[in-house]
């Protein structure tokens, strides 16, 4: 992982495909694996389930297909 740029508004990071899969899997478990209510998830993470799922979709869509 390489931090390209960081400011109070944005962080630009370069991830390997493997690192992206790690983040994808962690977000997926957070949203779908643990039995947390929406309220509990937001209290623990600071974000709504919909916000986390939006990041998950973006990361998931960026991961190249296996063997590509």
């Amino acid at each position: 992982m390489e931090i390209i740029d960081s400011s109070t508004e944005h962080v630009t990071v370069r991830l390997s495909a493997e690192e992206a899969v790690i983040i994808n899997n962690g977000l997926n478990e957070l949203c779908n694996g643990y039995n947390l209510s929406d309220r509990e998830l937001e209290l623990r993470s600071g974000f709504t389930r919909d916000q986390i799922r939006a990041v998950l979709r973006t990361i998931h869509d960026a991961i190249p297909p296996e063997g590509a």
Side-chain angles (χ1 to χ4, degrees):
M1 177 179 353
E2 177 185 359
I3 305 299
I4 305 298
D5 188 37
S6 179
S7 72
T8 57
E9 295 294 319
H10 295 91
V11 177
T12 304
V13 179
R14 181 175 311 194
L15 301 171
S16 69
E18 183 178 75
E19 291 165 333
V21 169
I22 291 168
I23 293 170
N24 180 85
N25 292 352
L27 292 173
N28 185 57
E29 280 299 314
L30 186 61
C31 284
N32 304 308
Y34 294 111
N35 190 18
L36 296 175
S37 69
D38 289 345
R39 177 160 167 63
E40 184 70 17
L41 177 63
E42 188 169 354
L43 285 171
R44 289 176 179 249
S45 71
F47 298 96
T48 66
R49 193 174 306 272
D50 287 342
Q51 288 173 305
I52 298 169
R53 282 188 174 143
V55 175
L56 174 58
R57 275 191 301 276
T58 300
I59 291 289
H60 181 269
D61 291 348
I63 297 172
E66 248 184 89

